Structures are given as C-alpha cells and as structure tokens.
C-alpha cells in the first residue's frame, strides 16, 4: 500500500529512513514513541501514522500532557463519574474511552507527573481504565502513540520518568532528525512554504537567490520546520522583490552563521565578527532554547566543525575538541549522526 504522508515533505536520506519505518509500523497496533526537537514534525508524523493504520477511519484523539494541570489531566484522560470532585456535575468519558477502536496521541508525555504515569502504564498493560471516582473498570482497545522533545532516558535517570513506562512506550522508537541534519530538505520545505504563502496571498511566486539559499542551508534552525515555516510566511509579507536576497533574511540567521547583518544599501560582503564573545542570555533567548539545549547546540556545532576539519576522521576530530574517540562516538550516536 502506498504511504499517505499527509503533507510531510522531505527526501533526505534521514527522512526516508523515518518513512521506511513508518510504512512498517503504521499497520500494526504497536505503541510508538516519537522523539525529536521542537518543531521537527512529530505531530505530523503521528497523524500520518494513524492515516496509514487500519484504524484510520476510527477516532484519533490527541492530548497535550504538558498543557493540562495534573488534577485535570487525570479526568481528561480517564473520564470521571458524577460527584467525583466538586465540579463533576455529570459523568464524562475520558480521552482513552473516546479513542476506543482508534488511537490516542499522548503529546509531550515527558511532562506527565509520575503519579499519572502509573495509571497510563496500567491502561497500556491491562488495556483497561477506570474513571475518576468510578467503581467499575472498562476494557478499551486503543493504540497509544506518544511524543516528546525530552530525552526520556535522561528523564528516567533523573527519576522524573518511570522506567517501566518508558520501556512500555518505547516499543517502536521513531526519531525525527533536526532540520539542520536534513540538508537539501531545507530548500524543498522553504519553497513549499513560500509557494503556499504566495498562493494564498495571491502574490507573484517568490524565489530564493543563491546566497539566500546558502544561508538557509548553513543556519542551525533551532526551531526546526516550524521556524522555517514562520520565516517563509514573514518573507511572503515583507519581501519587496520577487527574489529573496540575503538582506531580506532575519538578523538572527546572520548572527547564527557568524556573519554581519546586511542592510539593503551595503554591498553583499559577509564579515566574520571582530572578536570572540561569550554567548549571553539574550543569545539563548533568541534561539528560544533552554540552557541544556543551548549548550548542546553549541557542543554540536563544535563537533560538526571538528569533524569537517578532520575530514570525517573521528580520532582527529576527537583530538581537536579534546575528548576521547569513544566519547565522540557516543555523542554522535546520541545526535543520530552515526
Ligand atoms: N516534513 C514536513 N513537511 C511539511 N511540513 C512540516 C514538516 N515537518 C513539520 N512541518 C510543519 O511544521 C510545523 C511544526 O510541526 P509539528 O507541530 O508536527 O512539530 P512538533 O515536533 O510536534 O513540534 P513541538 O515539539 O513543538 O510540539 C507544523 O506546521 C507542520 O505542519
Ligand atoms: Mg507537537
């Protein structure tokens, strides 16, 4: 059967691998755990998974576990009986019940509190749920798909995520690589979004100049596809000509790739920053990253540069950044670069 990809664009080898796994996994009832940085398309992938499953004509019920307070989340997930708590004026089914016969999408599962994780584990293992304040148990047939942008293994070691639930969810792990690792997909997506934006705005199609393309390919895309989509929307509004030039691109991109922002009057002549300066809180906020991810992004860039300079020879790259070869390999594996 041909895959329905629900508008998921990309033909990089890393994404092709994701699609290959998707084709195998979608028709099964197995639990899938989708990981990937923010904005990499986890939700899109999960929807495609459902579209390609035998349950496609049944319910697909998403719930963002990070956005709902603990007290409400339990009754959202499992439902409640009348009188279970002060405002429970009538009985209500939870999302697991609504998803019966279909799939439930537990988004941002890493944010869920430990006490609720136990209940999810039980629903997964026993295939039954109990409403809050209820006395009876209900059998359910629900496919569970979860997503997170946290490293759940790390959450497990930090005691914030139950190990048993992690293994139960991680039957089929699917990782969406960050946009910066998808090479030419960046341009494919940029053109796709530009096309859509220009069409809806009824304006002449915008194209990317060679220099602008270069810059988009070099930028680190901390906000991944979502960030690219937003940039293209902005360009479709603000760009005067029909060709996008480097000076049309946001300052953030120049700073990230280590070049000086251009103004329209200045000749196109990228410059390196004058001297070294430590990143500031503002740099971190501009990248919309928290400390850990920010430091990881810096580490990633240094490692990439070292690898490039070492012509891909890991021993040499490890030496350049002053770590052991095995540590470098571990880091590359973690970043899915091996
Ligand atoms: N491969 C792709 N092709 C086309 N559009 C994409 C692709 N990947 C992501 N998008 C778009 O990028 C935006 C972000 O995607 P999505 O919401 O699925 O990301 P996410 O990983 O769930 O993000 P978050 O972790 O912040 O929840 C959406 O508008 C989505 O349609
Ligand atoms: Mg999401």
């Amino acid at each position: 059967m041909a895959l329905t990809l629900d508008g998921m664009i990309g033909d990089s080898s890393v994404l092709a691998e994701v699609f290959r796994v998707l084709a195998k996994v979608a028709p099964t009832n197995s639990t899938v755990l989708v990981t990937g940085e923010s904005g990499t398309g986890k939700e899109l992938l999960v929807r495609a998974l459902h579209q390609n499953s035998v349950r496609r004509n049944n319910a697909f019920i998403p719930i963002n576990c990070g956005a709902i307070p603990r007290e409400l989340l339990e009754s959202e997930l499992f439902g409640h009986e009348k009188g279970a708590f002060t405002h429970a004026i009538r009985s209500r089914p939870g999302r697991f019940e609504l998803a019966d016969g279909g799939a439930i999408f537990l988004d941002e599962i890493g944010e869920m509190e430990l006490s609720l994780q136990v209940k999810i584990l039980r629903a997964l293992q026993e295939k039954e749920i109990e409403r809050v304040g209820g006395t009876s148990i209900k059998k359910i047939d629900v496919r569970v798909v979860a997503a997170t942008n946290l490293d759940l293994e790390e959450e497990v070691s930090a005691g914030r995520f139950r190990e048993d639930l992690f293994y139960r969810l991680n039957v089929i792990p699917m990782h969406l690589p960050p946009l910066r690792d998808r090479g030419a997909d960046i341009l494919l997506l940029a053109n796709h979004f530009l096309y859509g934006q220009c069409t809806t705005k009824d304006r002449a199609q915008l194209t990317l100049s060679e220099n602008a393309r270069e810059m988009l390919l070099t930028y680190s895309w901390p906000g991944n596809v979502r960030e690219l989509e937003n940039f293209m929307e902005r360009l479709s509004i603000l760009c005067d000509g029909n060709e996008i030039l480097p000076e049309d691109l946001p300052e953030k991109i120049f700073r990230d790739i280590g070049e000086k922002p251009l103004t329209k009057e200045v000749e196109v002549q990228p410059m390196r920053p004058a001297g070294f300066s430590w990143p500031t809180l503002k740099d971190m906020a501009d990248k919309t990253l928290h400390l850990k991810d920010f430091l990881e992004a810096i580490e990633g860039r240094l490692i990439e540069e070292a690898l490039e300079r070492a012509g891909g020879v890991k021993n040499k790259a490890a030496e350049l950044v002053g770590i052991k070869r095995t540590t470098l390999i571990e880091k590359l594996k973690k970043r899915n670069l091996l």
Side-chain angles (χ1 to χ4, degrees):
M1 191 190 74
L3 269 185
T4 315
L5 286 174
D6 241 354
M8 240 190 133
I9 298 204
D11 56 18
S12 55
S13 53
V14 277
L15 211 59
E17 177 59 23
V18 171
F19 293 155
R20 199 180 63 82
V21 176
L22 175 72
K24 284 194 184 173
V25 171
T28 71
N29 272 327
S30 296
T31 305
V32 177
L33 178 64
V34 181
T35 55
E37 291 176 12
S38 176
T40 45
K42 295 185 292 297
E43 177 152 2
L44 210 56
L45 180 71
V46 170
R47 288 182 185 275
L49 190 80
H50 184 65
Q51 278 312 311
N52 289 283
S53 78
V54 287
R55 296 170 180 250
R56 76 181 72 89
N57 295 322
N58 299 343
F60 174 81
I61 309 287
I63 179 159
N64 187 331
C65 306
I68 303 174
R70 154 84 183 81
E71 322 77 65
L72 292 182
L73 188 55
E74 181 174 2
S75 99
E76 271 303 317
L77 286 165
F78 302 110
H80 60 251
E81 294 298 350
K82 186 175 166 181
F85 44 87
T86 323
H87 300 294
I89 36 180
R90 60 176 75 90
S91 299
R92 218 168 72 114
R95 310 248 178 142
F96 268 98
E97 268 177 78
L98 297 175
D100 204 10
I104 189 166
F105 171 32
L106 303 174
D107 202 0
E108 300 194 23
I109 183 96
E111 307 286 336
M112 188 180 279
E113 276 192 25
L114 285 161
S115 57
L116 252 188
Q117 291 174 21
V118 188
K119 302 197 173 183
I120 298 285
L121 182 67
R122 179 171 151 204
L124 273 163
Q125 260 162 355
E126 317 295 334
K127 298 188 180 5
E128 56 189 31
I129 51 123
E130 192 179 345
R131 288 185 179 181
V132 179
T135 46
S136 63
I137 280 169
K138 192 174 170 3
K139 279 275 167 206
I140 42 151
D141 166 31
V142 173
R143 181 181 201 179
V144 176
V145 185
T148 179
N149 52 23
L150 298 177
D151 180 339
L152 278 195
E153 269 170 309
E154 216 166 81
E155 294 300 295
V156 168
S157 0
R160 286 188 295 262
F161 204 84
R162 289 183 64 105
E163 191 173 18
D164 46 10
L165 178 59
F166 169 64
Y167 287 121
R168 188 62 197 75
L169 288 171
N170 203 34
V171 181
I172 314 274
M174 289 189 80
H175 180 71
L176 272 171
L179 182 59
R180 62 186 158 279
D181 293 343
R182 298 190 206 171
D185 276 3
I186 295 173
L187 300 180
L188 209 63
L189 282 160
N191 285 320
H192 164 77
F193 293 132
L194 279 177
Y195 180 83
Q197 289 293 340
C198 294
T199 309
T200 40
K201 294 193 175 63
D202 217 9
R203 66 166 286 176
Q205 288 301 325
L206 277 165
T207 56
L208 290 157
S209 71
E210 194 175 334
N211 284 342
R213 284 205 299 269
E214 251 335 90
M215 290 179 65
L216 297 187
L217 287 171
T218 318
Y219 180 54
S220 65
W221 297 109
N224 294 292
V225 186
R226 180 178 298 113
E227 187 181 20
L228 176 68
E229 190 172 12
N230 293 342
F231 275 175
M232 295 305 126
E233 177 175 355
R234 198 184 313 167
L235 284 168
S236 75
I237 298 166
L238 298 179
C239 191
D240 294 323
N242 287 339
E243 190 182 37
I244 296 165
L245 302 169
E247 52 263 49
D248 295 314
L249 298 179
E251 204 188 310
K252 193 177 169 191
I253 296 192
F254 284 87
R255 249 185 292 124
D256 179 81
I257 65 178
E259 291 185 5
K260 214 173 153 196
L262 301 162
T263 57
K264 296 230 175 199
E265 292 72 38
V266 177
E267 210 181 304
V268 183
Q269 205 174 55
M271 276 169 56
R272 292 268 151 202
F276 172 77
S277 56
W278 291 103
T280 59
L281 270 182
K282 180 168 182 312
D283 296 323
M284 194 170 99
D286 283 348
K287 288 204 164 294
T288 58
L289 289 176
H290 295 305
L291 184 62
K292 187 172 139 274
D293 294 333
F294 186 65
L295 294 178
E296 260 180 24
I298 295 177
E299 183 183 281
R301 293 179 74 86
L302 292 175
I303 289 176
E304 270 168 38
E305 190 184 335
L307 272 170
E308 217 175 277
R309 230 195 286 162
V313 182
K314 291 190 195 67
N315 266 336
K316 196 159 164 227
E319 209 174 283
L320 283 172
V321 285
I323 56 176
K324 281 194 290 194
R325 184 174 183 276
T326 43
T327 315
L328 176 73
I329 288 175
E330 252 170 57
K331 288 185 186 297
L332 292 174
K333 274 199 191 136
K334 215 173 131 201
R335 288 162 195 277
N336 259 6
L337 291 174
L338 260 193

